[in-house]
Amino acid sequence: MLRDYLKIEAEDQLIEQRTLSLRNRGQEEVTEWIIVSRQGVKKGGVTLFDKFSTRRSWPVNYRIMQTDLQGKVVVDQLVDAL
């Protein structure tokens, strides 16, 4: 599950914002979420790059990137399965 790879609190919510198809770059989809606290305060964002392995030398399918409100990367991880 996506939440297993993120640095978020148990009560935080992931709200999907958009999904982009980037077939011309060798990827299937890029999906973006915002992280919202229990009080409704935005805490950051998450981007999931799907089918990341098409032209790479490492055998992974996904890249997960979490950022804080200032755009600083909190998590940047390559994984084979979600």
Side-chain angles (χ1 to χ4, degrees):
M1 182 168 194
L2 180 61
R3 292 179 71 92
D4 296 340
Y5 299 100
L6 303 176
K7 294 182 180 179
I8 59 176
E9 303 295 324
E11 64 271 358
D12 290 344
Q13 294 181 330
L14 292 173
I15 301 173
E16 187 172 335
Q17 295 298 297
R18 64 181 174 169
T19 300
L20 304 170
S21 293
L22 300 174
R23 297 187 193 287
N24 63 337
R25 294 183 59 207
Q27 295 166 290
E28 291 293 322
E29 293 179 342
V30 176
T31 306
E32 296 177 342
W33 292 268
I34 58 170
I35 303 168
V36 179
S37 70
R38 178 189 292 185
Q39 295 79 21
V41 177
K42 184 178 175 184
K43 295 175 73 176
V46 176
T47 305
L48 175 67
F49 299 89
D50 186 14
K51 302 290 186 191
F52 194 66
S53 63
T54 49
R55 287 191 237 161
R56 308 285 186 237
S57 59
W58 52 85
V60 297
N61 289 321
Y62 303 96
R63 178 181 182 190
I64 301 167
M65 191 166 63
Q66 177 184 352
T67 57
D68 62 12
L69 285 176
Q70 291 76 34
K72 181 180 174 184
V73 175
V74 177
V75 172
D76 191 357
Q77 188 167 358
L78 301 173
V79 296
D80 189 37
L82 291 178

